[in-house]
Amino acid sequence: MTSDNHRYSANPGVHVLCAGIGVGLLNLPSIVTVGFYFDRRRALANGIAICGTGIGTFVFAPVASYLVSEFGWKVG
């Protein structure tokens, strides 16, 4: 299995497909969960929940940079 990794890592289409699926699944739980709990003002609640994705991405970049500089890329 590991000998076939070079074949998949060189294909950018595989990365784009996996990233698209991942980003699509990232928003789905927040939209579904908000839909169960809010009847009134559901659009506002969905907007706030979706904003959390962007805020999390904005916050995670410096945190990841700090962790890599503190512990290194490969730990263990």
Side-chain angles (χ1 to χ4, degrees):
M1 180 75 178
T2 57
S3 63
D4 291 336
N5 282 343
H6 68 280
R7 188 171 42 167
Y8 299 115
S9 64
N11 187 355
V14 173
H15 295 289
V16 169
L17 180 67
C18 290
I21 291 171
V23 169
L25 292 175
L26 183 69
N27 290 331
L28 182 66
S30 64
I31 293 172
V32 171
T33 304
V34 167
F36 280 124
Y37 287 106
F38 290 92
D39 291 326
R40 275 189 28 204
R41 304 189 102 143
R42 185 178 295 175
L44 177 65
N46 273 333
I48 293 170
I50 294 300
C51 284
T53 304
I55 292 169
T57 303
F58 183 73
V59 169
F60 184 71
V63 170
S65 177
Y66 170 74
L67 290 174
V68 168
S69 67
E70 187 69 25
F71 299 108
W73 182 250
K74 293 184 179 181
V75 178

